[in-house]
Amino acid sequence: MQWFGRRESDNVDDERGGGGGRLAIGGGVLGIIAAAIYFFTGVDPSALFNQVATNQPARQEQTVNNGPEDEGKKFVRVVLADTEDIWTKLFNDMGRTYEKPRLTLFSDYVQSACGNASSASGPFYCPGDSRVYIDLSFYDELKNRFGAAGDFAQAYVIAHEVGHHVQNLLGISQKMDQARSRLSERAYNKLSVKLELQADFYAGVWAHYEKTMKNVLDKGDIEEALNAANAIGDDRLQKQAQGHVEPDSFTHGTSAQRMYWFKKGFDTGDINQGDTFGNGDLD
């Protein structure tokens, strides 16, 4: 991905180094499993976050942009800037206004409107404060533990979480919250899979315009994103973590499903082709 020297978003808050000790979810193997199963968290991740210690002071709304200007931060700011440009255009085409999310860089743990989270929870989007949260150490996990290397694999992580922001703006997140109270855990998990696959589709739409509008893709970039989608499918992660697969507990979709919907978004570039629900579940 050609990102050096390009526009960087101003909507990135750097809160790294501002906290205390690491708050691991479960610690040890459980922390690894939590990272595997729950990273790319979508709407209302409080069920996971409530496992983190809650005796930290409340997070104050603030803008922090004076952190270290390292390469990782610059990369995140460029990718977020591209999502801003592309989704602003697509929302304009729909006759709507795109409200840009903020992105918070953190280390070890963070507090959001959705609750407390440690680095083990992985990147996530909180609809309560319209923020994407990421500890950049996750990219080491993505490369070394999940075998998904490359800058566009990293960009896909951000684009997926911004996809959840798009869902929030379109009212899909609110419908998911309403559905939670009337569905069993098994039924809600099925809806959660559809929500995550739609975020993958939106990430693919973004990638389409990275190519056609921004012209910044390098050879092999899409393969990097597809490899990342494949690496974090529920079936593959469960097989690695526990030796067997439990489809009823899937919350993000299989490797094949995640790759399919990202590729469909990339191939079509049409937001209207991303109805992963399709059967009136959220009506």
Side-chain angles (χ1 to χ4, degrees):
M1 178 182 180
Q2 301 168 32
W3 65 272
F4 290 100
R6 298 180 51 229
R7 183 179 84 84
E8 300 177 17
S9 172
D10 293 327
N11 293 312
V12 174
D13 299 334
D14 193 342
E15 298 184 3
R16 292 175 292 176
R22 183 177 180 82
L23 299 178
I25 298 179
V29 174
L30 291 181
I32 294 172
I33 293 174
I37 301 300
Y38 291 104
F39 81 88
F40 280 55
T41 302
V43 173
D44 190 14
S46 56
L48 173 65
F49 298 164
N50 285 341
Q51 300 176 52
V52 181
T54 58
N55 60 350
Q56 303 299 327
R59 180 183 187 276
Q60 299 296 315
E61 192 69 20
Q62 59 183 322
T63 299
V64 183
N65 284 314
N66 59 352
E69 291 294 332
D70 54 86
E71 185 172 288
K73 181 177 179 179
K74 288 179 176 293
F75 174 78
V76 166
R77 291 179 65 171
V78 169
V79 173
L80 187 64
D82 280 1
T83 67
E84 292 169 350
D85 294 344
I86 289 168
W87 284 111
T88 293
K89 175 193 182 304
L90 294 177
F91 269 60
N92 285 343
D93 291 346
M94 293 187 290
R96 305 180 60 134
T97 299
Y98 180 66
E99 300 171 19
K100 301 174 184 177
R102 297 198 70 84
L103 186 150
T104 296
L105 296 173
F106 72 97
S107 57
D108 299 329
Y109 69 84
V110 71
Q111 292 183 311
S112 74
C114 295
N116 301 326
S118 79
S119 298
S121 65
F124 66 94
Y125 171 73
C126 176
D129 54 21
S130 299
R131 283 178 178 264
V132 173
Y133 293 84
I134 184 169
D135 183 332
L136 294 183
S137 67
F138 172 75
Y139 285 151
D140 294 329
E141 292 285 309
L142 189 66
K143 176 182 177 181
N144 299 322
R145 190 177 302 281
F146 300 114
D151 56 9
F152 208 70
Q154 297 176 4
Y156 160 65
V157 173
I158 298 170
H160 174 97
E161 299 307 336
V162 171
H164 285 306
H165 179 65
V166 172
Q167 291 171 322
N168 195 28
L169 295 179
L170 295 179
I172 299 168
S173 302
Q174 292 87 334
K175 291 182 178 180
M176 283 289 292
D177 284 342
Q178 294 166 5
R180 182 187 292 275
S181 62
R182 60 180 171 83
L183 295 176
S184 67
E185 180 179 358
R186 179 178 178 181
Y188 185 80
N189 284 348
K190 291 182 178 180
L191 277 188
S192 178
V193 167
K194 294 177 181 181
L195 185 81
E196 295 298 330
L197 294 178
Q198 188 177 64
D200 281 331
F201 173 84
Y202 289 157
V205 170
W206 167 81
H208 173 91
Y209 287 96
E210 282 289 270
K211 178 180 180 180
T212 61
M213 179 174 142
K214 294 290 187 176
N215 193 29
V216 295
L217 296 193
D218 292 324
K219 183 178 180 180
D221 278 346
I222 297 304
E223 287 72 17
E224 289 178 2
L226 288 171
N227 182 46
N230 177 62
I232 47 79
D234 281 328
D235 53 342
R236 180 169 177 175
L237 292 176
Q238 287 189 357
K239 185 70 173 179
Q240 291 174 342
Q242 60 194 26
H244 64 278
V245 174
E246 299 176 359
D248 286 345
S249 67
F250 287 176
T251 57
H252 289 67
T254 66
S255 294
Q257 288 174 323
R258 301 198 72 165
M259 294 172 69
Y260 171 83
W261 282 103
F262 175 86
K263 189 66 161 51
K264 184 174 182 180
F266 175 72
D267 287 342
T268 66
D270 182 1
I271 191 174
N272 295 314
Q273 298 297 314
D275 184 8
T276 55
F277 297 93
N279 58 3
D281 283 339
L282 289 184
D283 293 342

